[in-house]
Amino acid sequence: MAARRDESGHGDGPGPGDGSGLPGLPDGYEPARADEPARGLPAGPGGLVGREGELSEVRRLLGRTRLLTLTGVAGVGKSRLALGVADLVRGDFPDGVWPTEIAALADPGLLPQAVASALGLRDLAARPVVELLGDHLSGKRALLVLDNCEHLVEPCAVLADRLLRRAPRLCVLATSREPLRVQGEAVLWVPSLSVPEPHRRHSPEELARYPAVRLFVARAARATPHFALGPHNGDTVARLCGRLDGLPLAIELAAVGLRTLAPEQVLDRLDRCLEPAGEERAGTRSRHETLRAAVDWSFELCSPGERTLWARVSVFAGDFDLRAAEEVCSGEGVDREDVLDLVAGLVDKSVLVREERGGRVRYRLLETIRRYGRERLSGSGRVAAWRRRHRDWCRALVREAEEEWLTPRQEEWLARLRDEIANVRAALEFCRAEPGEARAGLEIAASLWPHWICGGSLGEGRHWLGQALRRDPEDGVARGKALWVDAWLAALQGDTASALPRLDECRDLALRIRHEPTLVRATQHRGALALYEGDFPRAIRLVERALAGHRAAGDRNGVMTALYQLTMACALDGDPRASAYGEECLALCEAAGAQWARSYALWALGLHTWRRGDRRRATALVRDALRTRWAVRDGWGTALCLEVLAWTAALGGRPAYGARLLGSADAMWSATGASPSGFRHLAAVHDEVAARLRAELGTRAYAAAYRAGARLTADEATAAALHDPVRAPGRHAASAGA
């Protein structure tokens, strides 16, 4: 076995022990659910070559430890091995295998949010995200893959330890250049691929047994289809693999050279990069130096334009599309129309990785390649300039998303912002760290409110807004907007204590700078706070005042949100104007073609219709809303729909069905980290309906039905809510007031 492992930390591991010195595993697993999504994992191990032994060893170790870290030098293939293992063992983890890419994350404070996002969880609650993660994973047999942890070793270690203690059936597979050093951790050193012995002739059949040679041949055949290993090139290939110390990334980069050079020429050029090449020097040369030489050589193979683009695209975090590369990287010697050809050239040379997702093509740099490009950019003294270009692109992107929010592109923008969040984080980090850039960070964080709210990232939004507000205390429209957006996020988390001071400051600032739109927003969100606290008359009064201001300014986003809030407030207050406000809100969303916003108008109208006692129409409206919300995986919106459908079932004399829906709604609330108890306008009705159902069914029957609903997956609960027939009220029919 080529791999070397080190198991340490006998005794207290990060979870219940099994007596072996490592945390124990359960004997039985729950069966996988056929309707669960693909769990975030790309299919297939991505062309893994020569790692059969390591795959087997990692799988064996995951059967006896709950934290395994793959370590090794840069370019050795830790990430590819981890993803190959993740694909191989997915059947062992019925609750999912969840890869999380850590390399693009600069702020350690956002690590829990990044993991929550990978798991599809919404960061909605005011409580710490790590608690949400722990609760979500507590009963699940799942594998969490933390990839590229080396720059955040301590935060990754702390998070892994806390999650393993909270979730006794969870396993964590990490990749890092060094161990996490958590008690109970098993460490597997990932070696280079084995290479032929030097100074010895081998037949092609013998050479093909060496993993390094097999990888070179596979990648060479991809670079030039006519390549084949034979007596005429076997010795050269063997020497080349040995010269590259069996490092997979170095071998892949070298194989690309066969498009233009013979194997002997590739070896000759690599020899020059690795000089002095004497035996003593080669024996003491570090693998880091070998990889560096291979990347240097790959850089030299590129045209001047490709080298320039390689350096410039290093400012992207995560991945990017062609349009982004054109907008950020063109100019100063690179024409926009040439970017496509340059990107294609870098893909051909294995510098850029091309990925297709949902019919869209995106590109990314492996972390080692990205760092090399950034180093080249630093050498030109232009890192800040190109990061500023990247920042400007991100700012334009989020502004465009905000301007086009109430349009048919609403769902498209939700997906686009989700795809670009790593780049937006990088831009916000640049604004935080670079002198004089705080105002730009304020503008980006505030304009990103559609993502923070609709994408379920309230906590992360408040994180960035809080930092930007501290760094840019000067009066201005940008600060006023950031204040009301931050207050909005806090209110949605039920954090009134934080929202009120923000709104007070926002109002005072608006009066000082005489900016009416900011004052209108401060007034509206004061009304929203009153709504969430159950003071419906005050909410109606304040939001109506804001609605008039939005109409005067022609602010369609403001009009839509105000109409939605007024429909809710009037419905819960028994005010008949709820119908007019709700119908106007729905008509506005339908005229704009904004389907996600339309679902919220439908839900508010459904709430009003339920209060009037029209159970059938209320059910139809809320189900219509639910279809859109679940299609975009809006967990919070789905929970709201399940909640009201439970209320309509209680009104319709179907207590067992209502109890099941209430259990499903509560499970969904828990998954989002939120709860109706945090909002007084919902909490009172929720508690009243639950009490009624318990009284009608009896405590034991109610608990059984509630648990049955809570056990359903989100897909199952949604399907049950959408397809259950609406029956005529029976003897349990209740009044509209619940």
Side-chain angles (χ1 to χ4, degrees), residues 406-482:
L406 206 63
T407 70
R409 296 187 65 195
Q410 194 166 62
E411 293 177 43
E412 178 187 335
W413 274 116
L414 275 176
R416 180 81 187 277
L417 293 175
R418 188 164 49 243
D419 284 345
E420 301 295 357
I421 191 59
N423 281 306
V424 173
R425 285 172 180 154
L428 288 167
E429 180 64 28
F430 171 75
C431 293
R432 184 195 66 79
E434 189 76 9
E437 300 293 342
R439 178 56 56 95
L442 205 64
E443 294 170 357
I444 293 171
S447 293
L448 203 56
W449 63 262
H451 173 75
W452 303 139
I453 293 172
C454 309
S457 300
L458 304 183
E460 180 172 354
R462 293 184 66 188
H463 169 88
W464 290 115
L465 285 161
Q467 286 195 353
L469 285 164
R470 284 192 296 272
R471 292 181 60 81
D472 185 15
E474 294 183 12
D475 281 357
V477 174
R479 181 172 179 83
K481 181 177 179 178

Side-chain angles (χ1 to χ4, degrees), residues 45 54 259 306 355 367 445 447 571 626 704:
E54 286 84 354
R259 284 197 175 96
E306 289 169 345
E355 297 176 337
E367 184 59 15
S447 293
L626 178 58

Side-chain angles (χ1 to χ4, degrees), residues 107-450:
D107 189 336
L110 293 176
L111 178 61
Q113 282 90 339
V115 174
S117 178
L119 268 66
L121 296 178
R122 304 300 178 98
D123 170 21
L124 300 172
R127 65 183 179 135
V129 179
V130 69
E131 293 182 10
L132 166 64
L133 287 169
D135 289 346
H136 176 75
L137 294 167
S138 61
K140 291 181 170 58
R141 172 66 177 156
L143 176 66
L144 177 61
V145 182
L146 301 178
D147 192 22
N148 286 306
C149 299
E150 48 271 346
H151 66 302
L152 296 176
V153 169
E154 185 174 349
C156 287
V158 170
L159 179 65
D161 183 57
R162 291 186 66 178
L163 292 181
L164 289 167
R165 291 181 185 278
R166 292 282 295 272
R169 305 178 71 203
L170 174 70
C171 288
V172 176
L173 175 63
T175 72
S176 176
R177 294 185 195 175
E178 58 180 292
L180 301 188
R181 296 182 178 85
V182 174
Q183 198 165 21
E185 175 186 29
V187 179
L188 181 70
W189 173 263
V190 180
S192 297
L193 298 175
S194 61
V195 299
E197 298 173 34
H199 313 304
R200 179 186 162 192
R201 297 186 66 83
H202 300 78
S203 69
E205 293 75 21
E206 290 174 324
L207 287 175
R209 298 191 188 106
Y210 289 93
V213 173
R214 293 208 306 274
L215 177 62
F216 183 88
V217 170
R219 298 302 180 258
R222 185 184 296 174
T224 173
H226 302 296
F227 180 84
L229 186 68
H232 63 293
N233 60 18
D235 286 345
T236 303
V237 170
R239 288 170 56 204
L240 209 160
C241 291
R243 209 66 179 95
L244 295 173
D245 294 327
L247 282 171
L249 178 56
I251 290 170
E252 294 195 30
L253 292 174
V256 172
L258 296 184
R259 284 197 175 96
T260 53
L261 301 171
E264 293 81 1
Q265 292 173 299
V266 172
L267 177 61
D268 179 63
R269 293 190 176 216
L270 280 171
D271 272 340
R272 279 184 252 160
C273 288
L274 289 164
E275 288 177 349
E279 270 190 35
E280 181 180 350
R281 171 60 180 162
T284 60
R285 185 182 64 244
S286 73
R287 285 180 170 80
H288 171 77
E289 292 174 298
T290 299
L291 180 61
R292 172 71 189 212
V295 179
D296 278 336
W297 180 74
S298 184
F299 189 78
E300 293 304 317
L301 278 182
C302 294
S303 69
E306 289 169 345
R307 295 175 197 169
T308 299
L309 192 69
W310 180 346
R312 291 181 185 178
V313 296
S314 71
V315 300
F316 287 101
D319 51 28
F320 56 92
D321 61 15
L322 177 63
R323 181 180 172 186
E326 290 172 338
E327 293 185 9
V328 174
C329 302
S330 61
E332 298 188 26
V334 175
D335 292 336
R336 185 185 179 103
E337 56 268 24
D338 293 336
V339 171
L340 173 59
D341 289 339
L342 296 176
V343 165
L346 292 177
V347 170
D348 286 343
K349 294 177 175 63
S350 295
V351 173
L352 281 177
V353 179
R354 180 188 184 276
E355 297 176 337
E356 189 167 348
R357 298 198 300 268
R360 293 176 295 175
V361 175
R362 294 182 69 82
Y363 307 93
R364 65 180 176 87
L365 294 166
L366 296 177
E367 184 59 15
T368 298
I369 302 296
R370 190 192 68 79
R371 289 180 180 178
Y372 182 91
R374 182 64 65 85
E375 184 181 322
R376 287 283 181 169
L377 197 60
S378 297
S380 70
R382 301 279 288 153
V383 170
W386 290 104
R387 290 197 70 184
R388 195 170 285 111
R389 283 279 298 268
H390 176 262
R391 186 277 317 279
D392 289 343
W393 168 75
C394 286
R395 179 163 55 183
L397 179 79
V398 300
R399 282 176 173 171
E400 186 181 1
E402 183 182 25
E403 290 167 1
E404 293 197 348
W405 180 238
L406 206 63
T407 70
R409 296 187 65 195
Q410 194 166 62
E411 293 177 43
E412 178 187 335
W413 274 116
L414 275 176
R416 180 81 187 277
L417 293 175
R418 188 164 49 243
D419 284 345
E420 301 295 357
I421 191 59
N423 281 306
V424 173
R425 285 172 180 154
L428 288 167
E429 180 64 28
F430 171 75
C431 293
R432 184 195 66 79
E434 189 76 9
E437 300 293 342
R439 178 56 56 95
L442 205 64
E443 294 170 357
I444 293 171
S447 293
L448 203 56
W449 63 262

